[in-house]
Amino acid sequence: MSRISVVVCASQAEALDNIQNALIMLMGEVYDHIDEGHHPAPTYNDCAGWGDGLSWLVKSIGRVRDELREVLS
C-alpha cells in the first residue's frame, strides 16, 4: 500500500472515530430524553426508535473503522 493510501486510510479511520463518538453522545441525549418521562408514548417510541437506529449506526461505523485500521496494520 502506498504511503498516500496509508495516510488517507488513517485519516478516514480518525474521522470515523470522531463521527462514532458524536453519535454516541447523541444517542445518550436521546435516551436521556426518554428517561425524563414528560412526554406521551408516541414521543417515547420515536426516541426509542432513534436510539436504536443510532446504536446500529455507531456499531456499523465502528466496524468500518476497525477494518480500516486492520488494513493499515
Side-chain angles (χ1 to χ4, degrees), residues 4-5 7-8 12 14 18 20 23-24 26-27 31 40 48 57 63 66 69 72-73:
I4 293 173
S5 296
V7 170
V8 168
Q12 289 176 340
E14 184 177 339
N18 292 334
Q20 186 181 37
L23 288 171
I24 289 170
L26 179 59
M27 190 171 54
Y31 284 127
L57 190 55
R63 280 193 298 272
D66 293 346
R69 287 186 177 154
L72 294 173
S73 300

Side-chain angles (χ1 to χ4, degrees), residues 1-21:
M1 183 179 287
S2 73
R3 185 175 183 278
I4 293 173
S5 296
V6 169
V7 170
V8 168
C9 285
S11 175
Q12 289 176 340
E14 184 177 339
L16 288 170
D17 223 8
N18 292 334
I19 291 168
Q20 186 181 37
N21 289 336

